[in-house]
Amino acid sequence: MSVNDDTIKNAMDLTAMMAVSEIAGETERPAVEILVSFMNSRTGKMLYNDSTKAWWDGPSAIADSYLKEKNMRRSSA
């Protein structure tokens, strides 16, 4: 069975929005602020690169990856 590009894009979008919602809840920061930061992050770019299949891991794994990326960036700054 073949999955079309729209279905994959929708899965990526849904995963991103669920991850952003989870991150906003954990950090108590506005979802819009998190969304902008997330979409500009390495994790966000990885999620939308279909060759990585990162969206298969689900929103919690993506949220964890983003939070780790942000923590690493703060540590090295």
Side-chain angles (χ1 to χ4, degrees), residues 42-64:
R42 218 173 336 125
T43 303
K45 289 174 179 52
M46 180 182 70
L47 174 61
Y48 282 91
N49 178 349
D50 187 38
S51 69
T52 68
K53 304 292 186 218
W55 57 275
W56 288 13
D57 294 335
S60 289
I62 296 299
D64 287 344

Side-chain angles (χ1 to χ4, degrees), residues 32-73:
V32 172
E33 180 183 314
I34 298 297
L35 178 60
V36 171
S37 176
F38 177 83
M39 294 306 289
N40 289 310
S41 71
R42 218 173 336 125
T43 303
K45 289 174 179 52
M46 180 182 70
L47 174 61
Y48 282 91
N49 178 349
D50 187 38
S51 69
T52 68
K53 304 292 186 218
W55 57 275
W56 288 13
D57 294 335
S60 289
I62 296 299
D64 287 344
S65 179
Y66 171 81
L67 290 170
K68 286 177 185 171
E69 176 185 341
K70 287 299 173 182
N71 285 336
M72 286 177 30
R73 196 173 288 163

Side-chain angles (χ1 to χ4, degrees), residues 5-46:
D5 289 342
D6 286 340
T7 302
I8 293 170
K9 176 78 165 83
N10 289 338
M12 290 173 178
D13 288 344
L14 182 58
T15 301
M17 292 309 298
M18 291 173 73
V20 165
S21 178
E22 184 174 325
I23 295 162
E26 286 182 23
T27 63
E28 299 180 356
R29 299 186 74 190
V32 172
E33 180 183 314
I34 298 297
L35 178 60
V36 171
S37 176
F38 177 83
M39 294 306 289
N40 289 310
S41 71
R42 218 173 336 125
T43 303
K45 289 174 179 52
M46 180 182 70

